[in-house]
Amino acid sequence: QLQLQESGPGLVKPSETLSLICTVSGGSISSTSYYWSWIRQPPGKGLEWIGSMYYSGNTYYNPSLKSRVTISVDTSRNQFSLKLSSVTAADTAVYSCARLVSLAAAGRGWFDPWGQGTLVTVSS
Amino acid sequence: ETTLTQSPAFMSATPGDKVNISCKASQDIDDDMNWYQQKPGEAAIFIIQEATTLVPGIPPRFSGSGYGTDFTLTINNIESEDAAYYFCQQHDNFPLTFGQGTKVEIK
């Protein structure tokens, strides 16, 4: 059974770069038809898709965050990562990783499974 | 960008009730709608695929309906274990977007 687990600092200072890793177990990150994704939910607000990456490098980002986001995949470690630069308090959120199942249209589909999520607070 | 308007934001139900959660899309998204359940401190679970398909392993009291712009998640004979946060997601176009969510409380 595929499982995903987020890890990284729970506190980041304003203007710095938020960095998170998602470790995939129970399956290969190099499988076809899957994109490896990040989603976040600020406290009291709805969910926001950050972006998704195929193991070979094809990437889709939310335009609202595109200028600050980098998602990368490490097939040797079966991990993928998120970097979000120049963070502010508005980036405080629970960040979740998930596998995007994309069968028809590249980069579009449903998220299954999800990680538990990790709270990242931006504060000095 | 497709905005998903989900309602209600909160609802309280009694075991055995039938519960309907609505998700309205700001433009036609065919059947490219998915539903999820999330309990506090746990990973979200995928429950309905492409508007109407029940994900394997999900109890049959859950069902989805709709096409185009109006979608509904229905929970028949709701049980105490169904207390959770439910949200919709569209994959018709980029960026992928989510509804604001519905918190379901069981009395």
Side-chain angles (χ1 to χ4, degrees):
Chain A
Q1 182 181 358
L2 193 78
Q3 293 186 315
L4 290 78
Q5 179 66 57
E6 305 88 353
S7 59
L11 181 65
V12 181
K13 290 183 169 54
S15 80
E16 295 189 343
T17 296
L18 179 159
S19 296
L20 294 174
I21 290 174
C22 183
T23 300
V24 179
S25 58
S28 173
I29 205 168
S30 303
S31 300
T32 57
S33 299
Y34 301 134
Y35 284 71
W36 304 96
S37 307
W38 290 96
I39 297 147
R40 70 179 185 177
Q41 184 171 25
K45 297 186 178 180
L47 293 112
E48 179 179 37
W49 169 70
I50 299 170
S52 302
M53 184 173 186
Y54 197 61
Y55 77 94
S56 60
N58 195 19
T59 308
Y60 296 91
Y61 293 131
N62 193 319
S64 67
L65 297 168
K66 187 174 182 178
S67 64
R68 299 193 292 130
V69 172
T70 302
I71 296 175
S72 57
V73 170
D74 185 339
T75 55
S76 66
R77 297 188 177 193
N78 228 36
Q79 294 176 333
F80 62 105
S81 65
L82 168 70
K83 292 189 185 298
L84 180 65
S85 64
S86 305
V87 297
T88 69
D91 295 309
T92 293
V94 173
Y95 287 76
S96 298
C97 59
R99 183 182 68 174
L100 176 73
V101 181
S102 180
L103 300 181
R108 291 187 273 131
W110 47 89
F111 299 101
D112 181 43
W114 295 58
Q116 193 171 355
T118 186
L119 174 63
V120 179
T121 301
V122 178
S123 175
S124 55
Chain B
E1 174 171 329
T2 300
T3 299
L4 299 181
T5 302
Q6 194 172 334
S7 61
F10 174 84
M11 66 186 315
S12 184
T14 299
D17 282 352
K18 177 179 178 179
V19 164
N20 288 313
I21 298 171
S22 170
C23 187
K24 295 185 185 297
S26 60
Q27 60 186 286
D28 190 330
I29 59 169
D30 295 339
D31 63 352
D32 294 337
M33 174 64 75
N34 308 301
W35 290 92
Y36 303 84
Q37 175 195 69
Q38 187 169 30
K39 298 179 181 180
E42 299 184 9
I45 295 172
F46 179 44
I47 59 174
I48 299 289
Q49 172 188 327
E50 293 180 305
T52 62
T53 301
L54 187 67
V55 173
I58 301 302
R61 63 180 179 272
F62 290 89
S63 64
S65 62
Y67 190 90
T69 59
D70 290 355
F71 300 86
T72 302
L73 172 69
T74 298
I75 310 173
N76 284 294
N77 297 313
I78 199 166
E79 299 184 6
S80 57
E81 67 181 32
D82 300 332
Y85 174 76
Y86 294 87
F87 56 93
C88 54
Q89 173 247 328
Q90 66 82 20
H91 66 264
D92 179 76
N93 56 82
F94 288 112
L96 307 179
T97 52
F98 295 89
Q100 290 292 99
T102 296
K103 182 177 180 180
V104 175
E105 171 193 87
I106 308 298
K107 297 173 188 172

